[in-house]
Amino acid sequence: MSGANATGRHPSEDADVCIVGGGVAGGIVAHRLAERDYDVVLLEAGRRFDRAERHRQMEDALRPDVGGGDVWEMGGERDRYTSSGEFDYPLNRTRVKGVGGTTLHWLGITPRLHPEDFEMESRYGLAADWPFGYETLHRYYARAERELGVAGGTDNPFAPPRETEFPMPAFPQSHADAVFQAACDPLGITLHSVPQARNSEAYDGRSQCLGYSTCTPVCPSGAKYSGDVHVRKAEAEGARVIDRAPVQWLDHDGSGDSVTAAVYRTPDGDRHRQSARQFVLAAGAVETARLLLLSRSGQYPDGLANSSGAVGRYFMDHPSIEATGLVDEPPNPNPIGFHSSESHQFYDHEAPGPGTLKLEFKNPDPVSLPDLAVRGGDSRTREDVFDVAVGDAWGDALVERIESQMGGRTAFTVRATAEQLPLADNRVGLDHHNTDDAGNPVPDVDFGVGEHARETLEFAADLLRDIMDELDATDVSVDSVDDPRHASHHMGTTRMGEDPESSVVDARLRTHDLDNLTIASSSVFVTAGAMNPTLTIAALCLKAAEHVAADL
C-alpha cells in the first residue's frame, strides 16, 4: 500500500517536489507531477478519511445532535482561530483538514469566472487586473472540467466563451425551478442550468448521483467530486501522502533565494524536515498565508515570501443574502440536496457599480416534522446543515411556523451572491496571544464587507423582493445587507501580480522572492468575481503544475 501507512511518517529521500495540503489543489498538482514520474511527497495536516466511512458519516449527519463539523472533525484546539474585524468571521464553519480538504463537504458548484473578473482595473478602475486574462486560463478551464467531471448545459446565454462541451449533461430542471421561472418571466429574469462537479451519469469510475440529498456535508455515493479523487490518482502514480503531518514552517537557504525544507509535526509530537527541489503550497487562503507568516527569518522578518508586505492581505469571500417566503406549492417530490438553476444575467455590467452578482434558486425538499422542530421551523435543508439545533424559533412561534408550513405551503429561497473587492485591510494575520495544539500562533481574520459589496447587495435585495412578490409569497424574510452571510470561499492573501512590490506570486504562481516556491491556491486570486472558486482553483493548479515540471 502506498502512502504514510506503508512507509511511516519519516521524510522521503531525494524528493523532487514537496506539496503542502491535500485538497483539490494539492491533489491535482500531485497527480500531474507524479504521472510525469517525479518523486512527489504530499504533507496533509488532517487525517485520511476512508471512503468506506461515508455511509456512517451520512447517518451521523442526519442525526439532530451531530453537525457537519463533527462529521469531518472540524474545529477544536488544532483549528483555533480568532476574528478581530468588522464581522465575527466564521472560519471553522466549512474548512476541513483532511485528505480531500474542504471539497469533502462542498456543494459542488463549478462555474467559470468571466473575462471582466480578470480586468477589473482596466475596465472599471477598481481593484487590480490579473497578470493574464480569461483567454490564458480558457484551455485550463476545459481541462479542469474534465478532471473534476462537470455536468453542465448550453442554455446559459450569459456564460463566458467556451469551445468544448461539458463532460456530462446538466441536471434537469426541478419542480421548484419551474415555479421560480414562472415568477421570473414577468420580471425579465432568465434562469438556466448550473455547472457542477456532480455526476449526472457515471463518470471517471464514479456512479451517477443517487439523490441522497446530503451533499453537504457528505456524499455517500462518490458521485460528487472531492479532492481525495486526485490524491488517490497521485498515489497510484507513485506519489507518497503523509497525513496528520501539519507543516510548522518552511526553511530556506543562506541566501534566502530557495526553500530547503518543510518542517512538519507528526502525531507523536516529533518534528521532521522534508527536503525537495521544488515546493508547492496548496493549503488554502488562510493556512497558506499563516504558514508563510510563521516562516519568518532574518532575511524575511515579516514572513517568508513577504517582501511586498502583501502576504495575508486582500482576503476575500463572497457575501450573500437570501430571501425566503412561503408559497402555495408542494416541495420537490424527490430530494436532491443541491440547486439546479441560477441566473447570471446580472453578472456582466457596464458601470463600476453595482457590481457583479449571481442568483441561486434553491430546491426546497420535503422536510419531516421532527426536522422542522429541531431546526426551529427553518425548512431550508441540506445547505444549512451546519445550523442544525440552532433554530430560528421556539415555543408558540415555532408551533405556528410548523403548522403553517405543514399546511400545504413550502418555503422557497433565492440567494444573491455578490463580488467583494480586494481590500488591503481585510487580512489573515497571526494572533500571538492564542496558540494551537502545537503552540503556534493561531490565524486571526480581520474582515469587513466594503461599500462596493454593500451597494451590490442592496441592488440584489430589491431583485429578491420582486421575485418573492411574483411568487405571491407570504412570511417573507430578506437578509440584511449590513449583516450578510459568508459563502466561506476563502480567496486572496498571496495575490498574483507582475510587480514584486505589490504581489506575492507571478503569473507562473511562483513567488517573487524564492525561485522554487509555488503557491497553488485560491490565495493567489487577484479579484473574486461572484462565482464559486473551485473550478478556477483547479484550472490554476493545472497551469502551475506545468510550470513546476518545467523547472524540474
Side-chain angles (χ1 to χ4, degrees):
M1 180 179 179
S2 61
N5 291 334
T7 58
R9 289 187 168 80
H10 291 282
S12 291
E13 297 180 4
D14 302 320
D16 293 312
V17 186
C18 174
I19 300 171
V20 180
V24 58
I28 286 176
V29 175
H31 177 234
R32 274 286 187 256
L33 295 176
E35 68 179 358
R36 298 188 186 199
D37 293 327
Y38 292 114
D39 191 330
V40 176
V41 178
L42 188 152
L43 303 173
E44 166 55 44
R47 77 171 176 93
R48 186 189 299 267
F49 293 92
D50 192 329
R51 292 196 66 81
E53 298 180 59
R54 298 290 172 87
H55 277 84
R56 177 192 58 77
Q57 289 175 302
M58 178 189 69
E59 292 171 356
D60 286 346
L62 292 172
R63 294 173 52 188
D65 60 335
V66 178
D70 298 317
V71 169
W72 297 110
E73 300 177 4
M74 298 153 59
E77 188 178 16
R78 181 196 65 184
D79 298 335
R80 283 178 178 167
Y81 74 96
T82 56
S83 179
S84 61
E86 175 185 355
F87 291 95
D88 184 9
Y89 190 81
L91 181 60
N92 279 346
R93 188 172 72 89
T94 63
R95 63 172 183 162
V96 175
K97 292 181 181 177
V99 175
T102 301
T103 53
L104 289 169
H105 73 155
W106 67 318
L107 187 58
I109 307 302
T110 50
R112 300 181 180 192
L113 290 177
H114 284 213
E116 70 170 41
D117 295 319
F118 299 87
E119 305 166 356
M120 290 290 289
E121 183 177 24
S122 56
R123 286 195 185 213
Y124 306 119
L126 299 173
D129 289 350
W130 292 48
F132 50 76
Y134 177 83
E135 66 280 358
T136 296
L137 212 57
H138 184 274
R139 63 189 179 97
Y140 295 105
Y141 270 137
R143 292 181 190 176
E145 287 166 348
R146 293 193 299 271
E147 289 289 335
L148 273 59
V150 174
T154 59
D155 60 328
N156 181 357
F158 317 107
R162 60 180 305 118
E163 297 174 357
T164 57
E165 295 182 356
F166 286 102
M168 289 172 284
F171 283 85
Q173 188 183 56
S174 69
H175 166 74
D177 292 334
V179 173
F180 275 122
Q181 184 64 75
C184 287
D185 281 343
L187 300 172
I189 298 174
T190 300
L191 274 64
H192 49 76
S193 61
V194 51
Q196 45 196 296
R198 179 181 287 102
N199 291 355
S200 59
E201 58 190 25
Y203 184 85
D204 196 25
R206 308 194 316 272
S207 78
Q208 180 183 23
C209 174
L210 300 179
Y212 280 99
S213 82
T214 59
C215 308
T216 54
V218 59
C219 172
S221 69
K224 184 185 68 175
Y225 173 85
S226 53
D228 56 319
V229 168
H230 273 94
V231 173
R232 290 195 301 274
K233 289 182 177 182
E235 289 183 291
E237 297 289 347
R240 181 177 173 221
V241 177
I242 306 177
D243 71 338
R244 292 184 290 163
V247 175
Q248 308 296 290
W249 66 81
L250 301 176
D251 283 337
H252 59 74
D253 60 10
S255 65
D257 294 331
S258 301
V259 176
T260 56
V263 178
Y264 64 94
R265 184 174 181 262
T266 51
D268 57 12
D270 290 342
R271 286 177 176 164
H272 304 273
R273 300 179 77 255
Q274 177 62 62
S275 58
R277 296 163 58 197
Q278 292 283 329
F279 291 82
V280 178
L281 296 187
V286 174
E287 292 298 333
T288 292
R290 180 192 183 209
L291 179 57
L292 292 174
L293 295 173
L294 287 172
S295 302
R296 64 182 183 178
S297 65
Q299 286 97 326
Y300 297 100
D302 298 320
L304 192 65
N306 196 25
S307 62
S308 64
V311 170
R313 292 191 179 275
Y314 306 106
F315 180 64
M316 295 173 287
D317 198 342
H318 286 137
S320 65
I321 56 172
E322 290 186 355
T324 297
L326 297 180
V327 180
D328 287 327
E329 289 284 345
N332 289 317
N334 298 308
I336 55 176
F338 55 90
H339 66 276
S340 44
S341 286
E342 292 187 349
S343 178
H344 299 170
Q345 184 168 340
F346 305 95
Y347 202 91
D348 297 332
H349 49 92
E350 296 298 326
T356 288
L357 66 91
K358 69 164 180 163
L359 302 177
E360 304 171 6
F361 298 88
K362 301 298 186 67
N363 272 319
D365 296 332
V367 183
S368 69
L369 180 58
D371 271 353
L372 272 177
V374 168
R375 294 173 182 272
D378 183 358
S379 63
R380 293 167 293 185
T381 53
R382 303 305 173 203
E383 288 185 61
D384 287 325
V385 73
F386 298 102
D387 297 329
V388 168
V390 173
D392 283 2
W394 302 107
D396 292 341
L398 173 58
V399 171
E400 291 176 6
R401 180 177 293 186
I402 290 176
E403 287 177 346
S404 174
Q405 294 184 47
M406 298 301 287
R409 293 192 293 172
T410 301
F412 276 60
T413 299
V414 57
R415 172 186 289 176
T417 299
E419 72 180 357
Q420 180 184 44
L421 295 181
L423 306 174
D425 289 339
N426 280 356
R427 64 185 302 183
V428 174
L430 298 179
D431 182 347
H432 292 277
H433 300 290
N434 293 280
T435 57
D436 63 12
D437 59 344
N440 295 316
V442 303
D444 174 68
V445 181
D446 189 340
F447 182 80
V449 171
E451 289 307 312
H452 178 79
R454 280 195 176 88
E455 178 189 7
T456 305
L457 291 174
E458 287 172 356
F459 172 74
D462 290 338
L463 289 175
L464 301 188
R465 292 188 186 96
D466 289 343
I467 293 170
M468 287 293 148
D469 286 345
E470 290 294 333
L471 285 169
D472 291 328
T474 59
D475 297 328
V476 173
S477 64
V478 181
D479 292 337
S480 168
V481 300
D482 293 320
D483 187 21
R485 299 166 186 259
H486 306 295
S488 296
H489 297 159
H490 306 152
M491 300 164 286
T493 72
T494 64
R495 72 193 313 197
M496 266 191 290
E498 296 176 350
D499 184 1
E501 294 187 1
S502 60
S503 59
V504 180
V505 302
D506 60 20
R508 302 171 87 252
L509 304 190
R510 185 171 62 187
T511 59
H512 293 299
D513 295 346
L514 298 108
D515 56 19
N516 69 339
L517 179 60
T518 293
I519 299 179
S521 166
S522 57
S523 64
V524 306
F525 283 27
V526 182
T527 52
M531 296 298 189
N532 310 60
T534 302
L535 188 74
T536 302
I537 295 170
L540 289 171
C541 289
L542 292 168
K543 182 178 188 295
E546 289 184 353
H547 298 313
V548 173
D551 290 341
L552 287 167

